[in-house]
């Protein structure tokens, strides 16, 4: 057998040829099907992402009727097949009833039929084996395969059956996936129960006359971890099922399998013990074919809560080894023959480090003793029992210092709990036979601040990091922490779909993934718009986790940032409300859960924080409206609870009570507060008489002026940008304020020249460039009210220079990385755009993700951006990068940058990152909090006019989101300045 390094190195070369041959082989592997050869249609693992369905609604060319004229075909499954296959055949029977309105018969022996669906597992179903023996089908394409199914039309499989559709699996899960694949394509969403997605009835559903398969999965184990489950999932589960019992887990197993997963770390926090709370939990998982394992700090099939019940003394291997070994032996004995993946190693009790320092010898002794227990309990060599060693947090230190384990043990790498991969295998280590896995997070309790309430995971980031992992050889286990399962429905679907075949979804396919997923849940009407709403909602919510948003997160003074953020939510919410109101009633609960609620509640939460921010700022400015924003903050705070109550008590008739009850407002440390607490607000006793105040947008500051308050000058207006700035007039008293704003120049245009206000009003200022006299450099505006008068200068750029590309404004040039003016690739390495990835637009990186480090020469992959500045000077460039970690464990990932013909500057994005991320250093806290890393470069004496920013790839894995060129005017903000104007 080829070793892993050969598989990894040569897969990409041979995969297309291999599957082309497989398609031909599959088509010719079955007798009595020669009429199919001219129209064979096979979906292999290398089929394009948007490949055609197996199904059609018309009977053409001998297509097999799953449902014809509202009548479903009956199902035949052997009573001697796996119990899980028989169980899922009942689900499949119900699915056919959902789509047809009539229940088909589920048979154990053939009966007279024109059409019959036959389900079975090769070598475990006498019915399937009989078809093999009679020459009706051949087993070549399934023998020895992992989780593969074939869907085969067969004429006269038995004397009393005219036509059959055979769903045959290479193993138990292969048979199950074959049935659930047809269910999904018929219109039964994997989320039909977990998100109340309705099933549309159809009169006719036919399977195209061909042999169909999805091939084998590229990642062997693919699963989820139910974690951080109290109070939301726990209280919901108690109310719905009584506990995390086998009724609950039956729903979980079905969900995993319908999404083509096969692996689970069960809920594990106190007082839960998966294996003993309901003894059927484990046996039912084995029946379904879901592989059960335990988490990174629960070795030997024992659960966190069990040690306290066991009363075995200290969790310390140096002082209490015998009790621990006996405890672990019990876990292996209880596991029995259930298909499992045994976690090895040891961490401290309660998800902590085992002790200070890195005790390599001690941990090696622990694993050696654990393997002795495995061999002794199972009665076979330890290497015949699948095992995994998780390098979580401090455990990675052992690996970094050279500790290695036996070659059969799967090594599970981990992200940093925030979706950033910490380490990947070196290419020289790819021959490790046990293989490699990745533990990823959609949810986390820990520093810098826990996130566990809403989905804040962009699938684009998941794609980029897991594609990086896969191309570096991580292909044996993918598991993701999904918290309470809901509301992570969409990223769970993506993670498991992507894990089935990471080669099948390219970066350019990601927008279409949203559309396909939306179509599966809601049908084709409005699917593109719903997909965009879903994509943008996740983008906006992911900019900063809800738990970490503060009143001052988005700037109230610079770049209209807070206003822009709220407008984005408001516009998107209006679109979603229109769709929601027009949906059939049976779709509204699903739409509310999957699309509308995460948008609506985060829009409300953002309004609350901006209102609280204005309350604090306006109190400093003594505005009369300070109290209005205090009231608005309170209103939005209580609306948050109203929206959650609607989700819990009214939507879906209260089915999901408690599920959104994670606290999310008022964090003061990493851990969640016991209750939601409103941001601090202030009320003012304002003066009785009216009093004038004003703010100039981006106005020049002085020792008396902050954030434009009472500024005496606007920034410079220029003809190219044709700016619009505002003056905000505000009242500092109870009486109504009458004010005037007068221009002393006819070329200054004002949106209003007078007003009467209780609180505030914005007056917008623009320039009529046709009226500006030659060589004019400034004008002025006079603001009057309540016995006060102020003059504000309106400076102009007297000359209009030639300009191209991104044009300076506010003393800044802001460039989205995906808006390059030119790019160059090499023969081996190409730039790709990852659509929608990041905080503002899209991102740029390179493929393949495991490319070699590049040296700068004429062939090095390069991006170029034209830009214009208005005066000579020194420039600082901030490169906004995704917070990728140093997964190579070298001196750091690098890129190069220059302006025009400068000597390229080599930038190490990890320079200074000396403390491990699991210890929560400042550099890491900032990067995961802001979802960005910024690296600066300095460029001296750059002349005014048009220039070219050049960026070279050096290391793969560096992801560019934005470049901000500071020409002396950069102001603080969270997202950075908005994109500059672009001229051809």
């Amino acid at each position: 057998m080829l070793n892993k390094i050969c598989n990894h190195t040569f897969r990409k070369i041979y995969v297309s040829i291999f599957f082309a041959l497989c398609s031909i082989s599959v088509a010719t592997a079955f007798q009595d099907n020669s009429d199919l050869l001219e129209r064979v249609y096979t979906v292999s693992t290398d089929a394009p992402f948007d490949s055609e369905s197996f199904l059609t609604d018309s009977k053409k060319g001998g297509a097999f009727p799953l449902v014809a004229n509202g009548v479903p075909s009956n199902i035949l499954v052997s009573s001697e097949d796996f119990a899980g296959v028989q169980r899922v055949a009942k689900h499949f029977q119900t699915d056919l009833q959902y789509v047809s309105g009539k229940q088909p018969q589920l048979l154990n022996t053939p009966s007279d039929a024109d059409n019959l669906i036959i389900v079975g597992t090769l070598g475990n179903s006498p019915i399937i084996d009989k078809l093999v023996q009679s020459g009706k089908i051949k087993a070549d394409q399934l023998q020895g395969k992992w989780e593969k199914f074939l869907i085969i039309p067969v004429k006269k499989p038995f004397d009393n059956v005219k036509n059959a559709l055979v769903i045959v699996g290479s193993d138990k899960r292969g048979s199950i996936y074959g049935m659930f694949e047809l269910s999904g394509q018929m219109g039964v969403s994997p989320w039909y129960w977990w998100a109340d997605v309705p099933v549309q009835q159809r009169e006719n559903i036919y399977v195209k006359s061909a042999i169909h398969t999805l091939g084998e999965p590229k990642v062997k184990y693919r699963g989820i971890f139910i974690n951080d489950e109290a109070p939301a999932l726990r209280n919901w589960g108690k109310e719905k099922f009584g506990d995390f019992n086998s009724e609950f887990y039956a729903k979980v197993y079905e969900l995993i399998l319908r999404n083509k997963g096969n692996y689970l770390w069960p809920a594990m926090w106190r007082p839960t013990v998966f294996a003993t709370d309901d003894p059927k939990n484990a046996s039912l998982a084995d029946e379904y074919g879901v592989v059960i394992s335990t988490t990174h700090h629960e070795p030997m099939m024992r659960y966190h809560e069990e040690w306290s019940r066991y009363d075995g003394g200290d969790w310390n291997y140096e002082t209490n080894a015998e009790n621990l070994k006996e405890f672990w032996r019990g876990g292996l004995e209880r596991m029995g023959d259930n298909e499992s993946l045994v976690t090895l190693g040891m961490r401290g009790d309660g998800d902590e480090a085992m002790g200070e320092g890195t005790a390599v010898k001690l941990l090696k002794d622990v694993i050696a003793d654990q393997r002795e227990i495995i061999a002794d309990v199972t009665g076979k060599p330890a290497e015949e029992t699948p095992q995994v060693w998780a390098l979580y947090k401090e455990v990675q230190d052992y690996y970094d210092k050279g500790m290695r384990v036996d070659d059969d043990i799967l090594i599970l790498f981990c992200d940093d709990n925030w979706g950033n991969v910490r380490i990947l295998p070196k290419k020289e280590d790819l021959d490790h036979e046990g293989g490699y896995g990745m533990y990823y997070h959609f949810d986390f309790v820990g520093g810098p601040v826990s996130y566990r309430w809403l989905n804040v995971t962009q699938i684009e980031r998941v794609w980029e990091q897991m594609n990086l992992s896969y191309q570096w050889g991580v292909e044996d286990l993918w598991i993701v922490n999904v918290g309470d399962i809901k509301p992570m429905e969409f990223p769970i679907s993506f993670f498991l779909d992507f894990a089935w075949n990471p080669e099948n979804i390219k970066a350019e396919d990601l927008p279409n993934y949203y559309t396909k997923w939306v179509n599966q849940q809601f049908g084709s009407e409005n699917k593109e718009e719903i997909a965009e709403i879903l994509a943008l909602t996740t983008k906006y919510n992911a900019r900063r986790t809800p738990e970490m948003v503060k009143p001052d997160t988005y700037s109230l003074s610079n770049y209209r940032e807070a206003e822009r953020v709220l407008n984005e939510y408001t516009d998107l919410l209006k679109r979603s409300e229109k769709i929601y109101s027009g949906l059939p009633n049976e779709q509204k609960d699903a739409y509310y859960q999957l699309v509308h609620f995460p948008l609506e509640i985060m829009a409300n939460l953002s309004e609350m924080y901006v209102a609280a921010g204005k309350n604090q700022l306006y109190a400093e400015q003594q505005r009369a409206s300070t109290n209005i924003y205090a009231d608005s903050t309170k209103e939005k705070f209580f609306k948050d609870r109203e929206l959650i109550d609607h989700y819990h008590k009214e939507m879906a008739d209260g089915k999901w009570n408690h599920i959104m009850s994670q606290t999310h407002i008022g964090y003061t440390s990493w851990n969640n507060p016991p209750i939601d607490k409103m941001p601090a607000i202030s009320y003012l006793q304002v003066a009785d008489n009216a009093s004038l105040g004003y703010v100039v947008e981006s106005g020049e500051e002085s020792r008396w002026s902050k954030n434009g308050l009472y500024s005496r000058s606007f920034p410079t207006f220029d003809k190219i940008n044709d700016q619009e700035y505002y003056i905000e007039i505000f009242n500092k008293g109870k009486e109504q304020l009458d004010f005037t704003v007068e221009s002393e120049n006819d070329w200054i245009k004002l949106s209003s020249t007078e007003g009467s206000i209780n609180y505030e009003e914005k007056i917008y200022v623009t320039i009529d460039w046709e009226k500006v006299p030659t060589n004019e450099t400034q004008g002025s505006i006079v603001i009057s009210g309540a016995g006060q008068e102020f003059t504000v200068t309106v400076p102009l750029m007297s000359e209009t220079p030639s300009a191209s590309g991104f044009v300076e404004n506010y003393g800044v040039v802001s460039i989205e990385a995906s808006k390059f003016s030119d790019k160059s690739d090499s023969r081996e390495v190409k730039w790709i755009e990852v659509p929608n990835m990041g905080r503002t637009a899209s991102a740029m990186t390179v493929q393949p993700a495991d490319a070699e480090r590049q040296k700068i020469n004429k062939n090095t992959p390069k991006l170029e951006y034209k830009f214009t500045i208005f005066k000579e000077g020194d420039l600082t460039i901030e490169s906004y990068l995704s917070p990728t970690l140093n997964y190579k464990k070298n001196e750091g990932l690098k890129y190069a940058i220059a302006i025009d013909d400068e000597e390229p500057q080599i930038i190490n994005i990890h320079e200074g990152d000396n403390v491990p991320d699991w210890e929560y250093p400042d550099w890491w806290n900032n990067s995961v909090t802001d979802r960005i890393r910024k690296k600066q470069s300095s460029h001296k004496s750059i002349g005014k006019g048009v220039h070219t920013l050049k960026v070279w790839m050096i290391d793969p894995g560096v992801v560019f989101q934005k470049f901000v060129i500071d020409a002396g005017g950069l102001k603080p903000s969270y997202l950075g300045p908005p994109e500059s104007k672009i001229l051809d």
Side-chain angles (χ1 to χ4, degrees):
M1 184 180 69
L2 290 176
N3 63 24
K4 279 194 170 287
I5 191 166
C6 289
N7 283 335
H8 180 74
T9 304
F10 296 114
R11 179 193 298 113
K12 295 176 185 177
I13 300 174
Y14 293 126
V15 73
S16 299
I17 298 172
F18 173 77
F19 279 107
L21 293 173
C22 279
S23 297
I24 297 170
S25 299
V26 170
T28 58
F30 303 95
Q31 297 181 355
D32 296 332
N33 293 305
S34 58
D35 61 320
L36 296 179
L37 294 178
E38 294 302 318
R39 55 181 186 278
V40 65
Y41 168 70
T42 303
V43 177
S44 75
T45 49
D46 266 28
F49 167 67
D50 58 352
S51 56
E52 190 178 355
S53 170
F54 300 170
L55 306 182
T56 178
D57 59 3
S58 61
K59 185 177 183 180
K60 293 180 180 179
F64 181 88
L66 289 176
V67 179
N69 299 318
V71 179
S73 294
N74 292 331
I75 305 165
L76 172 65
V77 61
S78 172
S79 58
E80 298 180 39
D81 207 334
F82 290 107
V85 173
Q86 296 180 62
R87 180 181 288 273
V88 172
K90 293 178 182 178
H91 288 303
F92 186 50
Q93 176 190 29
T94 302
D95 293 346
L96 280 166
Q97 182 180 1
Y98 285 153
V99 298
S100 69
K102 296 180 181 178
Q103 186 180 64
Q105 289 183 288
L106 185 59
L107 308 170
N108 295 129
T109 57
S111 63
D112 295 346
D114 288 338
N115 300 291
L116 184 65
I117 303 168
I118 302 173
V119 179
T121 310
L122 186 68
N124 216 70
S125 167
I127 296 172
I128 294 297
D129 293 346
K130 183 177 179 181
L131 292 175
V132 173
Q133 292 163 10
S134 65
K136 296 294 183 180
I137 63 175
K138 289 185 178 179
D140 302 20
Q141 295 301 316
L142 292 175
Q143 287 175 334
K145 301 298 183 182
W146 178 264
E147 300 180 345
K148 184 177 181 180
F149 67 82
L150 294 173
I151 297 174
I152 312 158
V154 175
K155 295 179 179 178
K156 283 197 74 68
F158 308 111
D159 291 341
N160 57 346
V161 177
K162 291 183 179 180
N163 292 294
L165 185 73
V166 180
I167 305 171
V168 55
S170 62
D171 50 25
K172 173 168 50 182
R173 285 190 291 272
S175 302
I176 289 170
Y177 292 146
M179 288 184 277
F180 278 154
E181 181 63 25
L182 286 181
S183 293
Q185 293 196 20
M186 288 191 303
V188 181
S189 168
W191 299 97
Y192 80 97
W193 190 87
W194 280 93
D196 305 299
V197 177
V199 179
Q200 182 179 356
Q201 289 193 358
R202 299 166 64 180
E203 279 289 307
N204 297 289
I205 307 174
Y206 295 89
V207 180
K208 296 174 182 178
S209 182
I211 300 161
H212 306 283
T213 182
L214 295 179
E216 295 181 274
K218 293 292 180 69
V219 177
K220 185 174 184 179
Y221 297 108
R222 311 164 305 281
I224 64 173
F225 173 26
I226 303 172
N227 193 26
D228 309 327
E229 59 270 3
L233 187 69
R234 181 172 304 284
N235 289 341
W236 171 79
K238 282 185 177 181
E239 184 172 297
K240 190 73 179 175
F241 299 103
D243 202 352
F244 288 163
N245 53 30
S246 55
E247 289 185 62
F248 164 78
Y249 275 110
K251 295 295 186 185
V252 174
Y253 304 150
E254 181 189 349
L255 176 69
I256 290 171
L257 292 168
R258 284 184 183 270
N259 280 287
K260 295 194 290 294
N262 63 5
Y263 187 77
L264 175 67
W265 286 354
M268 47 71 64
W269 285 113
R270 195 169 280 131
T272 294
V273 177
F274 168 81
T276 60
D277 288 348
D278 184 344
K280 293 181 181 178
N281 285 346
S283 60
L284 185 62
D286 193 62
E287 181 179 317
Y288 264 108
V290 174
V291 180
I292 297 297
S293 187
T294 49
T295 68
H296 50 81
H297 68 106
E298 297 178 302
M300 300 290 282
M301 301 306 294
R302 284 293 199 175
Y303 296 89
H304 172 70
E305 170 68 5
E306 288 192 89
W307 183 245
S308 61
R309 296 185 188 182
Y310 187 76
D311 194 22
D314 291 337
W315 185 266
N316 186 318
Y317 203 72
E318 289 183 297
T319 63
N320 198 23
E322 293 308 312
N323 275 342
L324 283 163
K325 286 192 283 189
E326 190 60 32
F327 176 68
W328 292 336
R329 176 178 293 272
L332 265 290
E333 290 172 344
R334 185 175 62 198
M335 177 185 80
D337 294 329
N338 290 347
E339 187 180 7
S340 304
L341 194 57
V342 179
T343 300
L344 299 180
M346 187 177 182
R347 297 185 67 224
D349 192 18
D351 199 9
E352 298 290 342
M354 188 163 58
E356 292 187 12
T358 308
V360 172
K361 183 182 182 305
L362 178 62
L363 187 56
K364 283 186 173 182
D365 290 343
V366 168
I367 292 176
D369 290 347
Q370 289 171 340
R371 283 169 67 81
E372 284 187 16
I373 294 170
I374 292 171
D376 188 47
V377 171
T378 63
K380 55 189 179 183
E383 56 266 25
E384 295 183 22
T385 298
Q387 298 151 64
V388 59
W389 179 40
L391 306 185
Y392 184 72
K393 285 192 175 180
E394 81 290 339
V395 181
Q396 187 184 305
D397 289 351
Y398 292 81
Y399 190 84
D400 291 345
K401 292 182 178 180
M403 178 175 166
R404 295 296 182 265
V405 291
D406 296 86
D407 205 40
D408 62 285
I409 298 172
L410 194 158
I411 296 173
L412 183 64
F413 297 124
C414 303
D415 71 354
D416 63 349
N417 304 307
W418 288 78
N420 306 298
V421 170
R422 295 180 67 203
I423 183 175
L424 292 171
K426 297 181 184 299
K427 293 181 180 180
E428 58 266 29
D429 292 334
L430 287 175
D431 58 352
H432 178 72
E433 289 294 335
Y436 298 98
M438 182 59 65
Y439 171 36
Y440 203 76
H441 284 74
F442 295 162
D443 166 288
F444 177 58
V445 172
V449 171
S450 304
Y451 65 103
R452 56 196 300 206
W453 176 53
L454 285 183
N455 171 37
V456 292
T457 299
Q458 285 188 287
I459 65 167
E460 294 83 0
R461 181 64 170 162
V462 179
W463 180 88
E464 186 269 326
Q465 286 288 283
M466 294 309 296
N467 176 68
L468 179 75
S469 301
Y470 180 73
Q471 293 195 13
W472 280 87
V474 177
E475 56 188 37
D476 296 279
L477 168 60
W478 288 14
I479 182 165
V480 60
N481 185 325
V482 300
D484 299 322
I485 300 179
K486 297 179 70 67
M488 308 301 176
E489 299 96 339
F490 178 62
I492 288 173
S493 288
F494 178 78
F495 188 88
L496 294 176
D497 280 343
F498 193 39
W500 181 271
N501 183 3
E503 297 168 17
N504 197 30
I505 301 180
K506 310 297 184 187
E508 62 266 26
D509 297 320
L510 292 170
N512 195 37
Y513 185 88
Y514 286 96
T515 306
K516 285 176 68 71
W517 193 83
V518 165
N519 185 70
Q520 184 183 54
Q521 317 314 319
F522 308 113
S524 59
E525 188 172 358
N526 298 316
K527 65 180 181 181
E528 286 85 5
E529 184 168 15
I530 297 173
E532 185 177 8
I533 292 170
L534 182 61
L536 290 176
T537 297
T538 311
K539 184 186 194 73
Y540 299 160
N541 292 358
R543 285 169 169 169
R544 193 180 184 96
T545 65
E547 294 86 347
M548 287 199 286
V549 176
K550 302 292 182 186
D552 61 351
T553 295
Y554 298 111
S555 176
L556 296 169
S557 304
N558 299 323
Y559 309 121
R560 303 185 187 178
E561 184 174 59
E563 179 183 341
R564 286 190 293 115
V565 167
L566 293 189
N567 286 342
E568 286 173 340
Y569 274 118
T570 299
D571 292 346
L572 207 58
L573 186 58
K574 287 178 182 178
R575 293 169 61 185
S576 184
E577 286 171 341
K578 182 178 179 181
I579 289 171
Y580 179 69
S581 64
L583 289 172
N585 287 334
E586 61 269 19
Q587 288 189 334
K588 286 189 173 181
D589 287 342
Y591 184 84
Y592 192 78
Q593 294 169 62
L594 299 175
V595 181
H596 193 75
F597 174 80
L599 169 59
E600 183 177 30
I601 199 160
M602 195 59 189
N604 178 76
L605 197 72
S606 299
E607 289 182 9
M608 181 194 76
Y609 279 117
V610 170
K614 287 185 175 180
N615 171 259
Q616 294 171 15
L617 176 63
Y618 293 177
E620 294 176 6
Q621 296 175 348
Q622 302 174 38
R623 296 196 193 197
S625 62
T626 298
N627 299 343
I628 295 295
Y629 287 102
D631 292 340
S632 178
T633 302
K634 285 172 54 179
E635 176 195 346
K636 299 302 179 183
F637 176 75
F638 288 109
K639 185 178 178 181
D640 179 87
R641 177 54 53 187
E642 291 173 9
L643 293 173
I644 291 172
D645 285 346
H646 173 77
Y647 195 114
H648 286 167
K649 299 174 182 178
E650 297 179 40
M651 185 197 71
D653 297 322
K655 175 180 176 180
W656 299 107
N657 191 28
H658 305 295
I659 204 69
M660 291 305 303
S661 58
Q662 299 286 5
T663 52
H664 50 280
I665 305 173
Y667 274 74
T668 57
S669 70
W670 67 267
N671 202 9
N672 59 291
I675 57 173
D676 288 321
K677 182 180 178 182
M678 188 179 74
I681 53 175
S682 300
Y683 283 91
L684 297 185
Q685 293 288 3
V686 297
D688 291 332
N689 297 329
S691 179
L692 171 68
Y694 74 90
V695 168
V696 175
E697 181 181 13
S698 297
E700 291 186 4
E701 297 184 2
S702 67
R703 58 187 295 187
W704 302 283
S705 167
K706 292 183 179 180
N707 298 318
L709 181 64
Y710 297 109
S711 176
R712 299 305 174 91
S713 177
F714 282 97
T716 301
F717 289 77
D718 69 82
K719 191 172 183 180
I720 297 174
N721 287 293
D722 194 20
Q723 293 92 343
E724 174 196 77
Y725 296 115
Y726 63 76
I727 303 171
E728 186 168 33
I729 311 296
F730 62 85
N731 190 358
K732 298 167 66 177
K734 292 180 182 178
E735 290 182 353
Q736 182 172 278
L737 170 68
D738 298 323
F739 70 89
T740 61
V741 181
E742 297 179 345
S743 168
E744 295 189 339
N745 310 84
D746 64 353
W747 43 267
I748 299 176
K749 298 191 295 182
L750 304 174
S751 61
S752 177
T753 58
E754 60 182 11
S756 298
I757 56 172
N758 293 317
Y759 301 114
E760 58 249 335
E761 182 177 335
K762 288 180 179 176
I763 309 298
Y764 292 93
V765 180
T766 55
I767 305 299
D768 184 344
W769 292 98
E770 297 298 322
K771 293 183 178 180
V772 176
T774 302
N775 298 323
E776 185 71 82
T777 59
Q778 71 176 41
S780 58
I781 293 171
V782 178
I783 305 167
S784 303
Q788 299 169 285
E789 183 174 289
F790 302 92
T791 299
V792 180
T793 300
V794 180
L796 300 180
M797 182 181 294
S798 58
E799 297 180 0
T800 303
S802 60
S804 182
F806 292 88
V807 181
E808 176 189 341
N809 191 19
Y810 291 95
V812 166
V813 183
S814 182
I815 300 171
E816 295 292 349
S818 58
K819 302 291 186 65
F820 52 85
S821 53
D822 196 9
K823 74 177 177 71
S824 57
D825 301 323
S826 69
R827 182 177 299 177
E828 297 82 14
V829 184
K830 300 184 184 303
W831 290 101
I832 62 164
E833 177 182 347
V834 187
N836 193 53
M837 180 177 172
R839 305 191 308 171
T840 51
S842 298
M844 297 297 295
T845 189
V846 297
Q847 285 292 294
D850 62 343
E852 297 295 333
R853 172 171 279 185
Q854 305 291 299
K855 293 183 178 179
I856 298 178
N857 56 47
K858 63 180 181 180
N859 298 318
T860 306
K862 180 175 60 175
L863 296 171
E864 294 187 356
Y865 304 85
K866 281 188 178 181
F867 69 94
T868 300
I869 56 173
F870 291 144
K871 60 182 180 180
E872 181 179 353
D874 297 341
L875 302 180
T876 299
I877 300 179
E878 284 191 336
S879 299
Y880 287 40
L881 310 164
S882 293
T884 305
L885 295 175
N886 183 17
Y887 62 87
K888 288 185 174 184
K889 301 302 291 182
N890 58 9
E891 74 277 10
L893 303 182
K894 300 176 181 180
Y895 68 95
I897 192 167
I899 294 176
D900 299 330
D901 296 324
E902 286 181 326
E903 183 73 19
Q905 298 181 41
I906 307 298
I907 308 296
N908 182 344
I909 72 174
H910 300 114
E911 185 176 2
D913 296 358
N914 297 320
V915 181
D917 57 81
W918 60 269
E919 291 187 3
Y920 304 147
D922 287 343
W923 64 263
W924 180 83
N925 284 339
N926 293 335
S927 69
V928 298
T929 296
D930 296 343
R931 301 297 181 99
I932 207 78
R933 288 201 81 167
K934 298 178 186 178
K935 299 301 291 187
Q936 289 190 345
S937 57
S938 297
H939 306 263
K940 301 296 185 181
S941 302
I942 305 300
K944 68 177 182 179
V946 179
H947 299 276
T948 301
L949 170 63
K950 300 175 182 179
V951 179
W952 289 266
M953 172 259 179
I954 293 180
D955 282 306
V958 180
V959 181
F960 300 94
Q961 294 189 22
K962 187 172 184 169
F963 302 98
V964 175
I965 303 173
D966 182 7
L970 183 62
K971 296 178 181 295
S973 65
Y974 183 72
L975 298 175
E979 183 180 64
S980 298
K981 186 171 185 176
I982 307 174
L983 297 178
D984 293 334

